[in-house]
Amino acid sequence: MPQTLDLFPIGNCAVNALIDRGGRFVWTCMPRVDSDPVFSSLLGGLEPEDPAAQGTWEVAVEGKQTIDQAYLRNTPILRTVITDADGASLEILDFAPRYRQFGRIFRPTAFIRLVRPISGVCRITLRARPTAEWGAKLAEHTNGSNHIRYLGSDMTLRLTTDVPVSHILEERTFRLEQPIAMFLGADEGFNADIGATCTRMLQQTEEYWLEWVRGLAVPLDYQSAVIRAAITLKLCTHEETGAIVAAMTTSIPEHANSGRNWDYRYCWMRDAYYVVQALNRLGAVDILENYLGYLRNIVDRADGGHIQPLFGVGFEPQLTERFAPDLPGYRGMGPVRIGNQAFEHQQHDVYGQIILSSTQAFFDERLLRPGTVEDFKNLEPVGERAFQLHDQPDASLWEFRGRANVHTYSAVMCWAACDRLGNAAAKLGLADRADFWNARAAQVRATIDKRAWNEELGRFAATFEGDELDASLLQLVDLRFLEANDPRNVATVEAVEAGLRKGSYLLRYAIPDDFGAPQTAFNICTFWLVEALYLAGRIEEARALFDEMLARRTTAGLLSEDIGFADGELWGNYPQTYSLVGLINCAVLLSRPWTSVR
């Protein structure tokens, strides 16, 4: 069968991997999410079962009959059960260690695979085929008595195991008569009993995640969906710096042969804002606190107040876009891109997202490091930049590459930057600064009311003095620019639904862009429509649409960026934080209150 996005992420907030429905590692970048993929078969152009497939790590069972996969409850630990034609079965437990040790979180750049017989005796073949230089070649290797060293492009890996290493090197089929353990990590000696140690790590990792989930304030309804989305959003964080990446992958096309193949393994100010907003609703303040540290470093580095839309997870500003010619791409649909040219864009909404993400720190007394007057003063140049640019052209949140306009969403985000600085100043007792920023906010609001409102059409437009529609107009209520029952909002929502809805899905925009007319819908936009329908009192319609989106999730309970109009097939990078944010927000909105059952 061809590659699909029916994949299970695992990780530990340092590294992550995607495992397919055959139990194979098909995408893993090490030592960081934006590194060269050591397991790259997701973009290798071959079907997963192809014997020539490289960039994969597989436990193949002779005579395989059925495969059942599920996460251990409330964890990102994946259990795969494979049964052969004779009824013999085994289980594979895949995870990245994460637990508290020595007063800090232990999250090594490593993955563990535990393979255990369940019944009968399966015959298995272990295939470990890491690649180097972006799929150009298999990684060179050396070995010792209990380990194999793989020379990757960005790090040297060591696979330590209690199975004979020649079984792996020769891809020899053998009987699984006892449990085996494999630890793939940095090129360091493993000075302990590997089976017992990996089993202990499994138990401690499971305990960590159960405790983390236990602290979430989940809605009564849709709990399993929300928990899985929250865990996966946490896996999209690079805890060392606080960065939050938009997705784990690069170059999954937005639709078949579209050429819309982008690298999303970086931290967008916009996407991260939506992630912390959603997780805050669940009480996951650990991610907010860590991300605020990342933001403070970004603001400190701002050149003349300018902040670009995205950065590397280590604050890298240069994300030069290039191609990986040796990887054919998902289903052979290249190109495979490394880097993202959007770092050069002018996207003025980022100033609002930085300040909106930071505002909670001035009000939330749970935080270990509450916002200070110094933090506020450091944010004021960001607000000034927002004020200066609120009526200037940019590439919009949709990152148009071939045109620029004054976009309403960007302008409203600039208004929100000024407005929230006014709120923060008042909280800090800085009355003069509160008056200053409130006046700035009023001035920006007046500009938007005048220039984004299309009097002839009786609604807001996506651009100043324009008539275009885009789905971001549905965010005017969430940003507190309009009330849901404001006639201007009601008219705008009706126009967006009429102009951009395709069956059950909502387009970002309907006009052709640099790559032609859109052929898939952007999942977050459909969730925005669910919110708009709910706020308009169309609650049963909202719930039906939300249930339909839940049904489109992968077996892992997740979504990618885009979805096909006709067949509901998922496209675009995966798992997409935007989409999981929409799922959480709508679940919270549509759920019954806990008071209804207790």
Side-chain angles (χ1 to χ4, degrees), residues 401-418:
R401 294 192 170 204
R403 67 173 184 266
N405 286 291
V406 182
H407 291 95
T408 301
Y409 176 84
S410 296
V412 172
M413 269 293 180
C414 290
W415 165 82
C418 299

Side-chain angles (χ1 to χ4, degrees), residues 283-403:
V285 293
D286 57 327
I287 295 173
L288 168 67
E289 283 200 293
N290 213 22
Y291 178 61
L292 290 179
Y294 181 85
L295 275 188
R296 288 191 293 269
N297 279 283
I298 293 298
V299 171
D300 283 351
R301 294 160 184 252
D303 181 15
H306 168 68
I307 296 176
Q308 61 196 52
L310 68 155
F311 293 84
V313 297
F315 314 118
E316 295 85 1
Q318 294 290 322
L319 303 172
T320 305
E321 198 170 289
R322 62 193 193 279
F323 297 101
D326 296 295
L327 286 176
Y330 178 74
R331 299 188 191 171
M333 299 175 186
V336 171
R337 285 184 170 90
I338 309 162
N340 198 304
Q341 185 256 339
F343 82 91
E344 299 177 323
H345 285 188
Q346 297 287 332
Q347 295 177 24
H348 300 155
D349 58 310
V350 300
Y351 301 101
Q353 279 124 13
I354 287 171
I355 290 173
L356 266 64
S357 296
S358 302
T359 299
Q360 185 167 338
F362 300 105
F363 293 87
D364 194 335
E365 296 188 11
R366 296 172 300 170
L367 301 186
L368 297 175
R369 187 192 180 283
T372 65
V373 172
E374 182 184 31
D375 292 338
F376 173 80
K377 290 179 178 177
N378 287 340
L379 286 173
E380 285 198 285
V382 180
E384 182 61 29
R385 187 81 171 172
F387 177 75
Q388 296 296 334
L389 295 174
H390 75 271
D391 59 355
Q392 298 301 304
D394 73 350
S396 99
L397 80 161
W398 307 127
E399 301 186 336
F400 295 123
R401 294 192 170 204
R403 67 173 184 266

Side-chain angles (χ1 to χ4, degrees), residues 6 113 125 375 409 502:
D6 199 3
R113 308 202 80 174
T125 307
D375 292 338
Y409 176 84
K502 283 270 192 177

Side-chain angles (χ1 to χ4, degrees), residues 154-390:
D154 294 333
M155 74 177 294
T156 298
L157 296 168
R158 180 182 292 231
L159 176 62
T160 304
T161 182
D162 52 9
V163 72
V165 295
S166 65
H167 284 6
I168 300 174
L169 292 171
E170 301 296 328
E171 297 187 357
R172 182 183 297 140
T173 302
F174 64 97
R175 291 167 58 91
L176 180 71
E177 296 181 330
Q178 59 189 17
I180 62 175
M182 293 177 280
F183 183 98
L184 181 69
D187 186 22
E188 301 168 350
F190 196 101
N191 300 317
D193 181 313
I194 186 169
T197 302
C198 289
T199 298
R200 174 182 59 79
M201 289 181 172
L202 170 67
Q203 293 169 344
Q204 290 180 273
T205 299
E206 183 177 15
E207 289 169 4
Y208 168 85
W209 286 103
L210 290 173
E211 283 295 317
W212 186 79
V213 169
R214 184 168 170 259
L216 296 178
V218 297
L220 171 60
D221 298 319
Y222 315 110
Q223 287 187 52
S224 61
V226 168
I227 288 169
R228 182 54 50 199
I231 289 172
T232 307
L233 289 178
K234 188 172 174 69
L235 296 185
C236 288
T237 66
H238 187 73
E239 191 170 58
E240 184 178 48
T241 62
I244 302 170
V245 299
M248 295 180 183
T249 59
T250 178
S251 303
I252 308 298
E254 292 184 15
H255 59 82
N257 298 304
S258 65
R260 299 171 185 256
N261 300 11
W262 316 118
D263 191 349
Y264 278 7
R265 302 170 303 147
Y266 308 111
C267 184
W268 268 260
M269 305 295 97
R270 178 185 312 113
D271 302 56
Y273 155 69
Y274 280 108
V275 169
V276 297
Q277 179 197 51
L279 290 177
N280 284 344
R281 288 172 174 158
L282 303 180
V285 293
D286 57 327
I287 295 173
L288 168 67
E289 283 200 293
N290 213 22
Y291 178 61
L292 290 179
Y294 181 85
L295 275 188
R296 288 191 293 269
N297 279 283
I298 293 298
V299 171
D300 283 351
R301 294 160 184 252
D303 181 15
H306 168 68
I307 296 176
Q308 61 196 52
L310 68 155
F311 293 84
V313 297
F315 314 118
E316 295 85 1
Q318 294 290 322
L319 303 172
T320 305
E321 198 170 289
R322 62 193 193 279
F323 297 101
D326 296 295
L327 286 176
Y330 178 74
R331 299 188 191 171
M333 299 175 186
V336 171
R337 285 184 170 90
I338 309 162
N340 198 304
Q341 185 256 339
F343 82 91
E344 299 177 323
H345 285 188
Q346 297 287 332
Q347 295 177 24
H348 300 155
D349 58 310
V350 300
Y351 301 101
Q353 279 124 13
I354 287 171
I355 290 173
L356 266 64
S357 296
S358 302
T359 299
Q360 185 167 338
F362 300 105
F363 293 87
D364 194 335
E365 296 188 11
R366 296 172 300 170
L367 301 186
L368 297 175
R369 187 192 180 283
T372 65
V373 172
E374 182 184 31
D375 292 338
F376 173 80
K377 290 179 178 177
N378 287 340
L379 286 173
E380 285 198 285
V382 180
E384 182 61 29
R385 187 81 171 172
F387 177 75
Q388 296 296 334
L389 295 174
H390 75 271

Side-chain angles (χ1 to χ4, degrees), residues 349 352 356 390 407-420 444 448 452 460 464 472-473 475-477 479-482:
D349 58 310
L356 266 64
H390 75 271
H407 291 95
T408 301
Y409 176 84
S410 296
V412 172
M413 269 293 180
C414 290
W415 165 82
C418 299
D419 179 74
R420 302 322 190 257
V444 176
I448 296 168
F460 281 101
F464 280 15
S472 66
L473 293 171
Q475 288 291 282
L476 300 185
V477 172
L479 291 170
R480 292 197 282 109
F481 187 81
L482 295 176

Side-chain angles (χ1 to χ4, degrees), residues 579-597:
S579 302
L580 302 182
V581 162
L583 186 157
I584 290 172
N585 290 343
C586 290
V588 170
L589 197 65
L590 291 166
S591 175
R592 293 170 296 163
W594 280 97
T595 53
S596 67
V597 296

Side-chain angles (χ1 to χ4, degrees), residues 1-6 252-257 330-331 333 505 519-523 548-549 551-554 558-572 574:
M1 61 179 294
Q3 287 279 17
T4 74
L5 295 180
D6 199 3
I252 308 298
E254 292 184 15
H255 59 82
N257 298 304
Y330 178 74
R331 299 188 191 171
M333 299 175 186
Y505 310 117
Q519 296 184 31
T520 50
F522 206 62
N523 286 323
E548 187 166 344
M549 289 300 292
R552 297 300 184 186
R553 293 174 299 157
T554 62
L558 306 173
L559 288 163
S560 65
E561 180 185 49
D562 305 281
I563 195 164
F565 302 144
D567 57 7
E569 182 173 5
L570 295 176
W571 292 91
Y574 175 90

